[in-house]
Amino acid sequence: GKTRLVTALLNELDAKWPHGRYVYWPMAELALARRWAIQHGGEDPLKRAIDATMVVIDDLGVEKPSEYALEAIEVLVDRRWRDQKPLIVTTNLVVGGEDDEFQRRYDPRIMRRFLAPDARIIPITGPNWSIKEVGEIRAVNWQTKLNERGGR
């Protein structure tokens, strides 16, 4: 799905421009890493993301709402936008309409950045491949167990 698409994009970018700095963070992990760095005096992972050639934030909205997570996405989106650097964000949140989960969760200024004239929201629809693949893996493992036991 979306994660495979953006990681394939990063791999392709790295192959064509190996001197670039590419950062990939699942949002939940970024929030946890940021909290740990701030609490333990480590380097804030936002610094590397702000300075990178390309940044991908995966699964925005799955992170536990916290000061660290909200501030991380607000600072990152704002800085990337002001510095005119590319940022790709994947999410399953509903954007727009009556059920706009995005606007309920994040600062309106961030939404304005995503809706700026030079920004693009690209809906990706289709089956949830992560669920489908898990089901296929389970089916394969189950079939393997049956075969090992002499079953069909």
Side-chain angles (χ1 to χ4, degrees):
K2 295 180 297 299
T3 299
R4 280 193 182 179
L5 183 63
V6 295
T7 54
L9 172 70
L10 287 177
N11 287 333
E12 189 67 20
L13 284 172
D14 189 45
K16 290 187 178 193
W17 296 284
H19 301 292
R21 291 182 319 254
Y22 307 101
V23 174
Y24 170 87
W25 276 105
M27 187 58 203
E29 290 179 27
L30 175 60
L32 288 173
R34 185 155 199 268
R35 182 178 73 187
W36 187 91
I38 290 170
Q39 290 176 346
H40 296 92
E43 183 179 348
D44 189 339
L46 281 184
K47 176 165 178 18
R48 200 172 111 225
I50 288 168
D51 295 338
T53 306
M54 168 67 81
V55 175
V56 173
I57 300 298
D58 196 17
D59 273 337
L60 180 68
V62 301
E63 74 281 358
K64 179 180 177 182
S66 70
E67 174 184 334
Y68 301 102
L70 291 173
E71 186 180 55
I73 196 63
E74 289 172 5
V75 168
L76 183 60
V77 169
D78 186 59
R79 281 294 302 275
R80 302 288 300 174
W81 183 81
R82 284 188 290 125
D83 295 344
Q84 298 181 350
K85 292 182 177 180
L87 169 68
I88 296 175
V89 177
T90 70
T91 185
N92 285 331
L93 293 176
V94 173
V95 179
E98 286 182 24
D99 298 329
D100 192 329
E101 299 167 298
F102 195 95
Q103 279 195 343
R104 284 196 305 270
R105 189 169 184 145
Y106 300 101
D107 186 281
R109 184 182 67 170
I110 298 306
M111 190 61 188
R112 286 194 300 273
R113 300 287 195 241
F114 283 119
L115 296 175
D118 57 341
R120 302 289 177 267
I121 294 178
I122 303 170
I124 299 175
T125 58
N128 186 334
W129 287 101
S130 59
I131 292 172
K132 183 178 179 185
E133 288 167 358
V134 168
E136 289 172 358
I137 291 168
R138 286 186 184 146
V140 168
N141 290 342
W142 181 249
Q143 187 63 43
T144 301
K145 287 179 183 182
L146 282 176
N147 289 340
E148 290 171 351
R149 295 179 185 165
R152 296 184 184 232

